[in-house]
Amino acid sequence: MARVLVCVQPARGHVGPTKPIVEALLADGHDVTVVTGERYREAFGKATVKLLPPEADFDETDLDGSIPGRAGKRGLRLARFELANFVNTLPAQLGVLDLDVDVVLCDPLFMAGLALVRRERRPRVLVLGFLPFMPPVPSGPNSAFLKVLAPWVLGPAQRRARAVLGEDPGMLFADWPLHSDGVLQMTCPGFEYPRPNAPLHFIGPTTVSAANEHPLPPWWADLDGSRPIVHVTQGTVANDDLSRLVEPAIEALAGENVLLVVTTCGGTLRPGPLPANVRVADFLPYDDLLPRCAAVVTNGGYGGVNHALRYGVPLVVVGASEDKREVAARVTWSGAGIGRARSSASPKALRRDVRAVLDEPRYRDRAKELAAEMAAGPSMAEVVELITTS
């Protein structure tokens, strides 16, 4: 039996892919303790749960209200603030960690990982790879953009890391996963830039989204395959303004021979009648929905994109907040769809891109190739063995 400490930020997109791993570890008889926020106290079944102190916790449904100083910031200024804020929480995170364990599974944004990997004597540290693997600055489509803006965006967080640790960390604060004992990257090699020296273990997407979690809506029978199904979502982050992507997509595809299935994920559509080919729900079970889809339009959450690719569904991605610029770049680079590193899109542009993904077989063919890569990856039992075997 291994003693496993799991450190995960209190956000749906982080908790969702972590839960199946925790469940598999528990089922295999391992001792699991999870450190996360108050909103996810009950999310991890029989695992022991320790809560983050208030200064390190937040409510993802009210980020401006639960993170002092965040309100009013947008774009790169928001990214700059949030990275520094992640580092600010490092001491509070360390204060609740019991390191008398064999292995730590650590969220890449759980900055206690930066302190842990610098210690000479420590347990094994493995990173939960549910975000794009970004360090160092890649040679992909966004490399020039990142190299120019990285000092301005990352500088405050790097200076804060130096102050919190009391010395130079000896690495860029965001590069700490490179110094871990491995990254459990939740995709397949074909969706990540080649990193020959990176400690990556490709385990495929792990999130489970079934009807027992999200009940089927009354209109589910309409998904009978008589028309191509296009799913549209802005995910659970950056969905406070559905006029950026969801509403333009509805306008763009209202006259097309498709059934448009929209999830609002807590967001709110503007009042008014919907086109006849649109169906709306707050959440839907992806493991039931995605196998029926011909395309997915999304703002680029890494987990949702890889969930679609698991079922061989090509994508149109329009996003520029958080890590979404990087996800959009990977969608284009991998050939599984069209990625636009923008905060919004016009109906005309969306209609053009969705029609391309539906009508040009190369996108569907490439998405199916990535699905086959994921299916050939390790089983959950093999992931558990990787975690628990030193």
Side-chain angles (χ1 to χ4, degrees):
M1 180 187 75
R3 296 163 299 166
V4 184
L5 176 65
V6 180
C7 304
V8 60
Q9 292 281 18
R12 187 185 187 94
H14 297 223
V15 170
T18 304
K19 283 174 59 178
I21 296 176
V22 170
E23 290 167 0
L25 287 165
L26 291 169
D28 202 46
H30 301 288
D31 180 8
V32 183
T33 298
V34 178
V35 177
T36 191
E38 172 66 39
R39 292 189 72 243
Y40 293 97
R41 178 194 290 268
E42 308 297 331
F44 292 96
K46 296 181 180 179
T48 301
V49 175
K50 294 182 68 175
L51 296 180
L52 289 165
E55 60 268 35
D57 199 359
F58 57 86
D59 180 352
E60 65 181 316
T61 67
D62 182 21
L63 292 174
D64 285 351
S66 60
I67 301 176
R70 186 183 189 276
K73 294 180 174 63
R74 295 291 183 270
L76 291 174
R77 291 186 183 278
L78 177 59
R80 189 173 189 248
F81 168 84
E82 288 188 326
L83 290 171
N85 186 67
F86 282 129
V87 177
N88 279 337
T89 62
L90 191 160
Q93 292 172 351
L94 283 176
V96 296
L97 300 191
D98 178 3
L99 295 178
D100 185 21
V101 294
D102 301 301
V103 59
V104 178
L105 295 183
C106 198
D107 185 321
L109 295 181
F110 202 96
M111 281 299 150
L114 173 62
L116 293 183
V117 298
R118 299 173 69 251
R119 296 184 179 181
E120 186 174 344
R121 297 178 62 85
R122 60 168 173 82
R124 290 172 65 231
V125 177
L126 298 174
V127 180
L128 294 160
F130 41 63
L131 300 176
F133 188 76
M134 293 180 64
V137 173
S139 58
N142 283 328
S143 59
F145 170 86
L146 288 171
K147 286 174 181 176
V148 170
L149 289 177
W152 185 83
V153 175
L154 303 179
Q158 187 69 13
R159 291 190 291 273
R160 185 59 186 148
R162 187 180 299 113
V164 166
L165 296 171
E167 59 182 347
D168 192 301
M171 67 185 86
L172 180 65
F173 74 96
D175 283 357
W176 74 263
L178 283 172
H179 301 266
S180 71
D181 297 292
V183 181
L184 307 179
Q185 197 65 30
M186 297 175 187
T187 187
C188 60
F191 193 67
E192 277 290 344
Y193 304 130
R195 314 269 191 174
N197 300 316
L200 292 174
H201 303 279
F202 290 97
I203 67 170
T206 58
T207 301
V208 176
S209 176
N212 61 354
E213 183 180 0
H214 303 302
L216 300 179
W219 47 257
W220 187 257
D222 295 346
L223 280 62
D224 58 7
S226 59
R227 290 177 286 179
I229 296 168
V230 177
H231 173 48
V232 180
T233 183
Q234 283 183 220
T236 57
V237 178
N239 67 354
D240 56 326
D241 181 2
L242 298 186
S243 70
R244 292 178 180 271
L245 181 61
V246 170
E247 291 173 353
I250 291 173
E251 181 179 345
L253 301 175
E256 297 290 317
N257 183 32
V258 299
L259 186 65
L260 195 62
V261 176
V262 173
T263 53
T264 54
C265 302
T268 304
L269 289 169
R270 63 173 176 257
L274 292 169
N277 68 334
V278 175
R279 304 292 182 273
V280 178
D282 197 19
F283 289 95
L284 288 170
Y286 264 18
D287 292 321
D288 295 290
L289 172 65
L290 291 173
R292 303 166 185 258
C293 289
V296 168
V297 180
T298 171
N299 63 349
Y302 193 74
V305 164
N306 277 285
H307 212 143
L309 292 175
R310 174 195 280 168
Y311 291 103
V313 185
L315 300 119
V316 173
V317 172
V318 178
S321 63
E322 295 87 29
D323 58 347
K324 294 176 176 61
R325 183 181 295 273
E326 281 296 309
V327 178
R330 282 159 173 77
V331 167
T332 297
W333 173 82
S334 70
I338 297 172
R340 308 287 187 189
R342 300 172 185 165
S343 60
S344 62
S346 69
K348 181 180 178 180
L350 283 171
R351 186 182 306 111
R352 178 197 63 218
D353 288 347
V354 172
R355 285 268 42 118
V357 165
L358 290 174
D359 297 340
E360 297 178 29
R362 61 191 173 104
Y363 295 113
R364 168 72 63 171
D365 292 345
R366 181 56 178 152
K368 288 182 175 179
E369 289 175 0
L370 296 182
E373 274 192 42
M374 291 176 179
S379 66
M380 188 57 77
E382 291 170 325
V383 173
V384 167
E385 184 177 2
L386 173 63
I387 293 168
T388 57
T389 303
S390 59

